[in-house]
Amino acid sequence: MHSFIIDCLYGYANLAVLGLALGCMWYAWQTLRRPMEAPWFDLGRQLTVQRQLFGGWLGDVRQALAPWLFIVAAAVYQFEIFFVNSLYRDRLPWLFEYGTMALDHLVVLCLLVKILLCTRYDGRQLAAAFCVLFVIRWVFMNDHNKWMMMALLFALAAKDVPLRRALKLVLPVGALSVGVVALSSVAGVIDTVQELGTGRYRNSFGYGWYNFFGACLLALALMSVCLRGVKRLKWFDFALLAVLTVFCNFGPDSRAVTICLVLLIAALLVVHIWPGVLRPLPVRLLLTAAPLLAFAASMGLALGWNPENPLLARLDSLFSTRISLGWQGITTMPFAIAGQMPGADMLVDNAYLYYWIVAGPVASALIWLGFALLMWRLLKEGLTAEAVCCLVMLCHATMETHVLWACMNVTVWLLCGVLFWPQRQPGFEKTEEKTKIHFKGVVNV
């Protein structure tokens, strides 16, 4: 019990698997026990019926509560990672020691109640959710990578949620948290990390590392783009992104984030000026294959690493030794099909290589195939802002591992469209505001 209170995710992961397993059995029983004139011919139609798990008791209340459970979990998670996880943990140790435990329980409980009691599934969706959760939970017990497990829980819980409404709360929570932490570090209220490295001054602005602060800035930029949408971007939006890029380059000096912000601005300018650039099938196929190509390139460069090769040496310097560190990680860590704990000296910041080593090939395939299918669905639905932001985070994954942090990469929420494959891919577009939520039910305006 003591270990569960301190580190609750392991127990809740088991509960999630057990709950979905019982849900599958309950759904199968409900499907087979219904009177049918020709049961075996009608079984396919019965499996397409969406049902709340374990019966329809308090159905309207559960359906109305569902979005709020996700929204609360997302906002609390954002506050925990962006504020509590800053160097305020040294200033307010009780907040980090006890607050983090309480917030973890609150976040995961909200997600579990949403997944197990407040979501409608058909037979295919329920089976897909259980199978993916079973695999990721198995890997999680071996590698202890909580970010991957939390990403899956958020993706599962995002089903049938107005995600734009959730993002409209998460963005100000994140921006306010980052602003308070940064200003507190400048005012001397909390400590900061500073150094003069590679001839340039770096400042973490109240966080434990420069690249973490940079990742927070990139996350806020992507959230704002998803809310604004490509069509509504004005000159001042690009100006703010340019200012943020310059600040990131000369403040935390986070090279990965600076490059990704430049890529974000360039991609947004292209699709803003030329809206039809993403419509041709070859373009959509190329972007869909982006995570798979990035994985292949990361693996190929790492396996082919040779310090005597001037081109590889130059690339390694450009990527801050990510290639040589990736080679070291692959060659020194054993191959584990179901995941393993990272080595004490393993410094692999490339997410494609990192998850291959610690999560294994099966989980890696689920991750990158999931993002590839997500890119295809986003482009097919014309969700341009979401597609651009997802592509930027996939590029960021070549130098950092924040791609599966559900608080950093909100396109993780959109993976619910890949897991459950609804007719329409969820997104953050403004039309989602047509759904009004209240505790008496969901009313479509």
Side-chain angles (χ1 to χ4, degrees):
M1 179 59 71
H2 182 263
S3 60
F4 172 71
I5 294 174
I6 294 177
D7 203 351
C8 64
L9 190 54
Y10 297 96
Y12 285 131
N14 292 332
L15 181 60
V17 172
L18 177 61
L20 281 184
L22 292 175
C24 288
M25 290 186 286
W26 175 87
Y27 189 97
W29 170 249
Q30 290 296 311
T31 300
L32 294 174
R33 69 185 289 267
R34 292 180 180 273
M36 295 176 286
E37 295 180 0
W40 301 112
F41 294 98
D42 197 44
L43 185 60
R45 184 182 65 82
Q46 289 293 327
L47 290 174
T48 63
V49 177
Q50 293 204 1
R51 303 187 179 100
Q52 289 179 333
L53 298 185
F54 313 118
W57 47 273
L58 298 177
D60 291 340
V61 175
R62 290 159 64 186
Q63 192 71 11
L65 185 63
W68 297 107
L69 289 169
F70 182 88
I71 291 172
V72 169
V76 172
Y77 193 49
Q78 195 77 9
F79 171 75
E80 179 184 357
I81 304 303
F82 278 45
F83 182 83
V84 180
N85 198 44
S86 70
L87 292 182
Y88 260 106
R89 60 179 179 259
D90 297 329
R91 180 75 173 181
L92 303 172
W94 57 269
L95 179 62
F96 182 74
E97 293 175 7
Y98 303 107
T100 299
M101 289 188 292
L103 295 176
D104 281 343
H105 281 275
L106 177 59
V107 170
V108 184
L109 273 174
C110 285
L111 295 176
L112 283 187
V113 173
K114 167 63 175 67
I115 293 168
L116 299 179
L117 298 178
C118 299
T119 302
R120 295 182 181 274
Y121 303 95
D122 63 29
R124 177 196 59 82
Q125 293 171 340
L126 192 56
F130 172 75
C131 291
V132 174
L133 180 62
F134 182 84
V135 172
I136 297 302
R137 178 264 174 200
W138 181 19
V139 172
F140 169 57
M141 293 300 172
N142 293 329
D143 69 4
H144 298 184
N145 189 283
K146 298 182 180 181
W147 306 108
M148 181 175 62
M149 191 69 218
M150 288 297 296
L152 178 58
L153 292 179
F154 269 98
L156 291 171
K159 185 179 186 298
D160 301 330
V161 171
L163 297 178
R164 181 177 177 84
R165 187 179 295 273
L167 189 56
K168 288 176 71 174
L169 177 60
V170 168
L171 175 57
V173 169
L176 185 60
S177 298
V178 171
V180 170
V181 170
L183 291 176
S184 298
S185 71
V186 172
V189 177
I190 61 174
D191 294 330
T192 191
V193 180
Q194 303 179 67
E195 74 172 17
L196 184 62
T198 63
R200 298 186 64 179
Y201 174 75
R202 304 185 75 182
N203 192 331
S204 71
F205 287 92
Y207 289 94
W209 190 245
Y210 319 103
N211 291 340
F212 181 80
F213 176 56
C216 291
L217 297 179
L218 178 62
L220 295 177
L222 296 179
M223 291 180 202
S224 63
V225 169
C226 286
L227 279 180
R228 290 284 291 166
V230 174
K231 294 181 180 179
R232 293 188 297 276
L233 291 176
K234 305 297 181 183
W235 66 268
F236 52 82
D237 294 297
F238 290 101
L240 287 174
L241 288 174
V243 170
L244 187 64
T245 304
V246 173
F247 172 72
C248 191
N249 187 54
F250 293 100
D253 190 15
S254 177
R255 184 179 304 180
V257 174
T258 302
I259 293 173
C260 287
L261 285 172
V262 172
L263 176 63
L264 176 64
I265 295 172
L268 290 174
L269 282 172
V270 170
V271 297
H272 188 71
I273 297 171
W274 186 9
V277 67
L278 300 180
R279 293 175 188 168
L281 182 60
V283 175
R284 286 189 287 151
L285 289 175
L286 178 62
L287 295 180
T288 296
L292 307 180
L293 294 175
F295 171 78
S298 299
M299 187 65 71
L301 288 172
L303 292 176
W305 165 246
N306 180 1
E308 302 299 325
N309 187 312
L311 178 59
L312 287 177
R314 178 58 181 167
L315 285 174
D316 190 47
S317 175
L318 179 65
F319 287 99
S320 302
T321 70
R322 259 59 170 190
I323 298 176
S324 56
L325 289 174
W327 170 82
Q328 182 179 358
I330 290 177
T331 55
T332 58
M333 293 292 294
F335 177 78
I337 193 170
Q340 62 185 322
M341 289 283 288
D345 299 325
M346 195 187 87
L347 298 174
V348 179
D349 287 329
N350 182 308
Y352 300 97
L353 301 179
Y354 178 84
Y355 283 108
W356 174 266
I357 295 171
V358 302
V362 177
S364 293
L366 288 175
I367 293 170
W368 308 124
L369 283 174
F371 275 111
L373 292 173
L374 175 61
M375 284 296 298
W376 173 257
R377 288 178 62 87
L378 291 174
L379 293 169
K380 185 179 179 181
E381 291 288 336
L383 299 173
T384 308
E386 292 87 338
V388 168
C389 291
C390 184
L391 181 63
V392 168
M393 284 305 300
L394 290 172
C395 292
H396 187 255
T398 60
M399 296 184 70
E400 298 291 341
T401 59
H402 300 108
V403 66
L404 286 186
W405 291 33
C407 54
M408 297 284 189
N409 180 15
V410 292
T411 63
V412 165
W413 303 356
L414 306 180
L415 286 171
C416 63
V418 175
L419 283 167
F420 302 114
W421 211 261
Q423 185 174 3
R424 179 174 175 272
Q425 168 64 38
F428 300 110
E429 72 278 11
K430 199 170 185 178
T431 53
E432 284 208 39
E433 291 183 329
K434 293 181 179 179
T435 300
K436 291 185 177 180
I437 307 172
H438 51 77
F439 282 99
K440 293 183 179 180
V442 179
V443 179
N444 292 324
V445 179

